[in-house]
Amino acid sequence: VQLVESGGGLVQAGGSLRLSCAASGFTFDDYVIGWFRQAPGKEREGVSCISSRDDSTYYGDSVKGRFTISSDNAKNMMYLQMNSLKPEDTAVYYCAAGRRASYGGNYLPFPWAFDYWGQGTQVTVSS
């Protein structure tokens, strides 16, 4: 099983980036897939999740209205379109997949609920 992120980089505040996550060794069926981020000195934070079953989504409060998650199940790809970026969005972004990341129709955007992780891609937003 492998998850590989790409698309990170340096961008000015107000700019946009699109992150991609390529999955191999498993399919998205029966998995919740999502994006997390971790800034220096901070805990890993759930940013957004999507389910291959019904395309329902979750967004953290800090990114609602600015970030959009999507997936292409046929290609085993996941994306995160990030618009109106802010300096506080600076972090290493990770893609992840988990079978236990939803319960009772609600997402569990916590690291412990995800089984597979990518190596991360750095996003830096300058002011």
Side-chain angles (χ1 to χ4, degrees):
V1 173
Q2 191 174 25
L3 295 168
V4 180
E5 304 94 338
S6 61
L10 174 64
V11 64
Q12 288 188 334
S16 298
L17 281 174
R18 188 192 193 209
L19 304 183
S20 299
C21 175
S24 60
F26 74 106
T27 63
F28 289 165
D29 296 346
D30 296 325
Y31 280 87
V32 171
I33 49 178
W35 292 93
F36 287 75
R37 66 186 182 186
Q38 189 165 20
K42 295 189 177 181
E43 294 185 352
R44 193 165 294 192
E45 170 192 18
V47 173
S48 183
C49 302
I50 188 168
S51 170
S52 62
R53 294 178 183 176
D54 57 10
D55 286 337
S56 62
T57 57
Y58 160 86
Y59 293 97
D61 289 341
S62 61
V63 306
K64 281 180 182 176
R66 300 188 297 122
F67 290 10
T68 303
I69 191 171
S70 61
S71 66
D72 184 335
N73 294 344
K75 296 181 178 180
N76 252 24
M77 293 291 295
M78 179 175 62
Y79 307 97
L80 186 69
Q81 178 66 42
M82 305 186 295
N83 297 330
S84 302
L85 283 161
K86 304 175 181 180
E88 51 263 45
D89 294 318
T90 295
V92 177
Y93 283 71
Y94 300 88
C95 65
R99 289 182 179 271
R100 303 167 292 154
S102 67
Y103 182 79
N106 296 312
Y107 284 105
L108 301 174
F110 308 110
W112 55 261
F114 287 76
D115 306 301
Y116 305 126
W117 292 86
Q119 83 289 349
T121 186
Q122 176 71 46
V123 171
T124 303
V125 184
S126 63
S127 57

